[in-house]
Amino acid sequence: MSEATTAADSDTDYGDFDFIVVSNRLAVDRVTDDEGNSSWRRSPGGLVTALAPVMAKTDGAWVGWHGAPDEALDPFDEGNMRLVPVPLSEDEVELYYEGFSNATLWPLYHDVIAPPEFHRTWWDAYRRVNERFAKATAASAAHGATVWVQDYQLQLVPKLLRKARPDLVIGFFNHIPFPPLEIFAQLPWRRQVIEGLLGADLIGFQRPSDASNFLRCVRRFLGHTIRQQQVQVPADGDAPAYVSRAEAFPISIDVNAITELAKRQDIIERSREIRRELGNPKHVLLGVDRLDYTKGIGHRLKAYGELLEDGSITVEDAALIQVASPSRERVEQYRLLREEIEGAVGRINGTYDTMKNTAIRYLHHSYPVEEMVALYLAADVMLVTALRDGMNLVAKEYVAARTENRGALVLSEFAGAADTLRQAVLVNPHDIDGLKSAMVTALNMPPAEGIRRMRIMRRQVLQNDVERWSQAFLTALRNGSAGNSDA
C-alpha cells in the first residue's frame, strides 16, 4: 500500500488546518549567523508573498522540503504559518528533483530546447516522493480543507490526495508551460501524470494555450469527455465521478513592494551609481535571468555582439549588464551552459572592450531585491529573450519599477508575459536579425512613444498583482468545487 492511501481512514486522522499550500520547498529559508546559530526567514518569492495574507486569515499550513537532505524535522511555526517539512534523502534529491523534475519534465515542458532523459529509477523516486508529500498533506488537513498544490514537481499529489481524502477541495497550479500533445506524448508515464493532475478540482495554467494543450492530452490519452474546459472524470471503484477544470490564471508580482523600492532615494542613488560605474554610457541594457537554457541568453549575446560588429552600437555609447543567477549547478547541462555563456561574454569583451568601457558586465550572482530594483532603474532597455517561459516575472518587475513611465521592454513572444504586455517590443528570439532590430528599435524609440507604451504596460501590471492572482484562483476553486461536493 502506498504511503498516501493510509493517511486518513477515519475522522481521527483529520488534521487541524483549513488551508494548505504544498510546494517542493517550504516558505522559509534557513539562515546562519556569525556565531553559527541557525534560524528561519520567510522566503522572498512572489508565491509566499501572495499567500501570506491568506495564511493570516485562516488556519494555514505550508508543506514542503526544507532544503537539507537526509534531515528530518518536526513541524514548526514561523510567523503566522505552520510549516510541515517533508524529508528527502540525498538520493531522492538527485533522482526526484535533479533527475525527473529538472532533467525529464523541465526540458520536456519547455519544448525540448534540451533533450529530456527518461529513466525508470527517476520516475520511481518521483512517484515515491509525491506519495510522501500527499501523506504529509492529508495528515495536516482539517475536514473539508482547501489544498493548493504548486508546480511540476508534485503532479501526482492531487490524485493521491483525492483518493486518501475525498473531502478536500484540491487545486493545482503549474508555474511552467504545459507542452503540446506531440511533445508531451514522449513521456513514458504520460497517462499517470495526467491522471495525477486530474485529481484536482481546478488546474491552473499560465496561458490559455497551456490549458488547451493539457485538455488535448486528456482527450487523447484518457478519452474523457470534455465540455468547454471541464473534464468529466468517471467513477473509479468506490470513488464517485467528478469534474476537473483547466483554466488560465496568469501569475504576477508584488507590485507594491517593487514600486515602493523604486521610489526610495537610496535605491535611486544606487541606480545612478551603477551608471557611473559603467562610465555613464548613453544607453544601458539589462538582462536578468536564472542561468537556464530556456532563457535565450546565448541568443541575446549573439545579437548584441553582432550589433557591436555592425557598428549599430558602440561600446562607448552602450553597455549591457547581464545578471545570470546560479541555477542547478549539479546538473551537467547547466554546467555546460555556464561555460558557453561565459565564453561568449569573454569573446565579445575581448574584442570590443576599451580601457574605459566594457561591452558586457556579466554578473553570475544572485542579488537582493533592492539591488535588482536599482538595476531596473538604471536600465534604459530590458531584454527578456526567453525561448520558452511560463510567465517571466522579471519583465513585470521592470515595468512596475519604471514609475516615471520611461524605458523600453524587449520581450520574447514565447514568454507568458507577452500575452498581456503587448506594448513591449515583441520579438522571436530565434530570429537573430529580428532581435537585433528590436534592440535598435528600443534604444532609439522616441521618448513620447516610450512613455505611451510604458504607461499602458504599467497600468496592466498594477491592476493585476500577485494577490489578485491568488484570490482569482482560490475564488474559482471554491466556487467550482461546490458542484463536486454536491454530487
Side-chain angles (χ1 to χ4, degrees):
M1 182 177 294
S2 73
E3 295 177 12
T5 57
T6 61
D9 300 322
S10 68
D11 287 356
T12 58
D13 290 318
Y14 294 147
D16 300 324
F17 300 96
D18 295 321
F19 178 66
I20 297 181
V21 176
V22 191
S23 65
N24 177 64
R25 288 296 297 268
L26 283 176
V28 293
D29 299 318
R30 180 184 270 156
V31 293
T32 304
D33 62 22
D34 295 337
E35 283 75 41
N37 301 313
S38 64
S39 59
W40 298 98
R41 179 179 60 196
R42 198 176 92 173
S43 301
L47 181 64
V48 180
T49 301
L51 298 180
V54 184
M55 293 284 187
K57 296 174 186 174
T58 62
D59 291 324
W62 197 299
V63 175
W65 180 46
H66 64 283
D70 295 317
E71 180 184 45
L73 297 178
D74 292 330
F76 61 96
D77 295 318
E78 180 66 27
N80 54 16
M81 283 184 283
R82 167 58 61 95
L83 298 163
V84 183
V86 176
L88 295 180
S89 69
E90 185 70 44
D91 282 347
E92 287 167 340
V93 173
E94 180 181 348
L95 301 176
Y96 144 78
Y97 182 70
E98 295 172 354
F100 196 80
S101 294
N102 291 319
T104 300
L105 294 175
W106 181 269
L108 186 76
Y109 282 31
H110 287 86
D111 292 354
V112 294
I113 294 168
E117 299 180 40
F118 305 112
H119 301 293
R120 287 168 290 180
T121 53
W122 290 3
W123 164 253
D124 290 341
Y126 183 82
R127 179 177 47 78
R128 184 171 64 252
V129 169
N130 272 243
E131 288 174 349
R132 190 175 305 141
F133 271 80
K135 178 181 179 181
T137 305
S140 302
H143 181 75
T146 297
V147 177
W148 194 0
V149 185
Q150 306 289 332
D151 225 0
Y152 64 104
Q153 301 97 343
L154 301 174
Q155 293 176 106
L156 307 183
V157 169
K159 181 181 179 181
L160 293 165
L161 278 179
R162 182 171 287 274
K163 185 175 181 181
R165 291 287 305 275
D167 59 292
L168 299 176
V169 177
I170 305 168
F172 182 94
F173 188 79
N174 196 58
H175 292 258
I176 67 173
F178 195 89
L181 183 153
E182 294 77 11
I183 290 178
F184 186 77
Q186 297 178 36
L187 184 66
W189 307 278
R190 60 200 186 189
R191 184 183 182 95
Q192 293 97 312
V193 168
I194 296 172
E195 289 175 339
L197 290 170
L198 285 176
D201 297 284
L202 177 63
I203 310 162
F205 297 94
Q206 298 280 25
R207 310 177 83 169
S209 58
D210 296 323
S212 297
N213 288 342
F214 173 73
L215 292 172
R216 283 188 66 210
C217 291
V218 171
R219 185 180 289 110
R220 172 69 177 273
F221 299 121
L222 298 186
H224 294 341
T225 299
I226 300 174
R227 294 190 177 93
Q228 296 179 327
Q229 294 173 289
Q230 298 185 338
V231 181
Q232 310 294 320
V233 183
D236 180 15
D238 295 334
Y242 62 94
V243 173
S244 179
R245 295 172 295 139
E247 299 179 19
F249 297 88
I251 199 170
S252 192
I253 62 170
D254 184 356
V255 170
N256 289 336
I258 299 296
T259 54
E260 287 174 8
L261 289 171
K263 294 175 181 177
R264 266 176 43 183
Q265 198 56 45
D266 60 323
I267 291 178
I268 293 171
E269 177 53 37
R270 173 59 186 149
S271 72
R272 294 169 180 156
E273 183 182 11
I274 289 169
R275 293 187 73 102
R276 289 195 296 271
E277 291 171 351
L278 295 170
N280 280 319
K282 182 180 178 182
H283 303 293
V284 174
L285 301 92
L286 174 65
V288 175
D289 311 89
R290 281 191 312 104
L291 188 58
D292 192 288
Y293 50 76
T294 65
K295 301 300 184 181
I297 301 172
H299 296 64
R300 182 185 314 160
L301 296 178
K302 181 175 179 60
Y304 193 74
E306 290 190 8
L307 287 174
L308 288 166
E309 182 180 1
D310 298 344
S312 302
I313 59 174
T314 66
V315 73
E316 291 79 15
D317 284 343
L320 169 62
I321 303 172
Q322 176 60 60
V323 178
S325 303
S327 175
R328 299 168 189 161
E329 295 187 299
R330 300 194 340 176
V331 178
E332 178 65 16
Q333 286 174 327
Y334 288 81
R335 288 198 295 265
L336 295 174
L337 176 66
R338 178 178 177 181
E339 293 177 7
E340 175 189 330
I341 296 304
E342 291 179 353
V345 171
R347 285 191 297 273
I348 293 170
N349 284 345
T351 303
Y352 299 104
D353 278 7
T354 68
M355 295 298 290
K356 291 184 178 181
N357 304 101
T358 296
I360 301 171
R361 185 68 58 88
Y362 177 74
L363 306 169
H364 184 58
H365 304 287
S366 297
Y367 290 96
V369 64
E370 292 84 359
E371 182 73 358
M372 295 311 306
V373 173
L375 286 166
Y376 296 150
L377 294 178
D380 305 294
V381 176
M382 184 82 211
L383 302 176
V384 177
T385 57
L387 308 180
R388 191 79 163 94
D389 214 337
M391 179 53 59
N392 196 285
L393 298 180
V394 164
K396 294 188 175 185
E397 288 180 350
Y398 178 76
V399 169
R402 306 301 295 192
T403 57
E404 295 183 355
N405 293 318
R406 299 185 183 276
L409 173 64
V410 175
L411 178 60
S412 167
E413 62 192 46
F414 303 122
D419 285 357
T420 52
L421 301 182
R422 305 300 297 175
Q423 285 68 39
V425 182
L426 297 177
V427 66
N428 172 3
H430 297 284
D431 176 7
I432 300 299
D433 286 336
L435 182 51
K436 290 166 61 179
S437 177
M439 289 183 186
V440 171
T441 296
L443 287 169
N444 297 322
M445 187 174 293
E449 174 69 6
I451 290 172
R452 183 190 69 82
R453 290 183 182 223
M454 186 60 71
R455 182 180 290 118
I456 296 171
M457 289 192 290
R458 290 198 80 249
R459 185 183 306 125
Q460 205 284 332
V461 171
L462 268 60
Q463 290 176 350
N464 297 279
D465 65 0
V466 71
E467 187 170 351
R468 183 169 180 175
W469 164 78
S470 64
Q471 291 303 320
F473 183 94
L474 291 171
T475 298
L477 172 62
R478 289 159 179 160
N479 289 346
S481 66
N484 285 330
S485 62
D486 293 340

